[in-house]
């Protein structure tokens, strides 16, 4: 039976591959959070004045999936500006 030591090339190669994969996953995590925050600022009424610190916190410590669900659940600024008493034409029944 052969013992595996540090002379095996796979034991040297695998940690390098795992480090590269970890760096790529971290970069994808941060890019996805950044894109979701861009969507939030576009949906927000004031755009640039939207506070995004808590969104970064949610994205980093919860996950980008949770942040995406939160951003998608927010209404658009055009929907917020209309008064609740006004009925949307899509909500009204057609008349004969």
């Amino acid at each position: 039976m052969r013992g595996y030591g540090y002379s095996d090339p796979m034991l040297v190669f695998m940690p390098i591959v795992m480090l590269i994969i970890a760096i790529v996953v971290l970069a994808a995590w941060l890019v996805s959070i950044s894109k979701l925050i861009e969507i939030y600022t576009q949906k927000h009424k004031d755009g640039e004045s939207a506070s995004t610190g808590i969104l970064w916190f949610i994205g980093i410590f919860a996950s980008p999936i949770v942040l995406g669900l939160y951003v998608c659940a927010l209404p658009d600024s055009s929907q917020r500006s209309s008064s609740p008493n006004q009925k949307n034409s899509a909500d009204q029944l057609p008349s004969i």
Side-chain angles (χ1 to χ4, degrees), residues 36-37 39-40 43 55 66-75:
L36 288 169
I37 289 177
I39 293 169
Y40 169 76
K43 287 180 91 169
L55 297 176
V66 173
L67 179 61
L69 290 173
Y70 175 74
V71 169
C72 289
L74 291 174

Side-chain angles (χ1 to χ4, degrees), residues 3 11 62:
L11 290 178

Side-chain angles (χ1 to χ4, degrees), residues 44-55:
H44 197 270
K45 190 175 188 178
D46 299 328
E48 292 300 320
S49 66
S51 174
T52 59
I54 192 70
L55 297 176

Side-chain angles (χ1 to χ4, degrees), residues 17-72:
V17 170
M18 295 301 286
L19 180 66
I20 291 171
I21 289 173
I23 290 171
V24 169
V25 167
L26 180 64
W29 187 282
L30 293 175
V31 168
S32 66
I33 294 171
S34 174
K35 291 296 181 185
L36 288 169
I37 289 177
E38 280 182 29
I39 293 169
Y40 169 76
T41 55
Q42 289 175 357
K43 287 180 91 169
H44 197 270
K45 190 175 188 178
D46 299 328
E48 292 300 320
S49 66
S51 174
T52 59
I54 192 70
L55 297 176
W56 277 103
F57 179 79
I58 291 170
I60 290 172
F61 291 106
S63 78
I65 296 171
V66 173
L67 179 61
L69 290 173
Y70 175 74
V71 169
C72 289

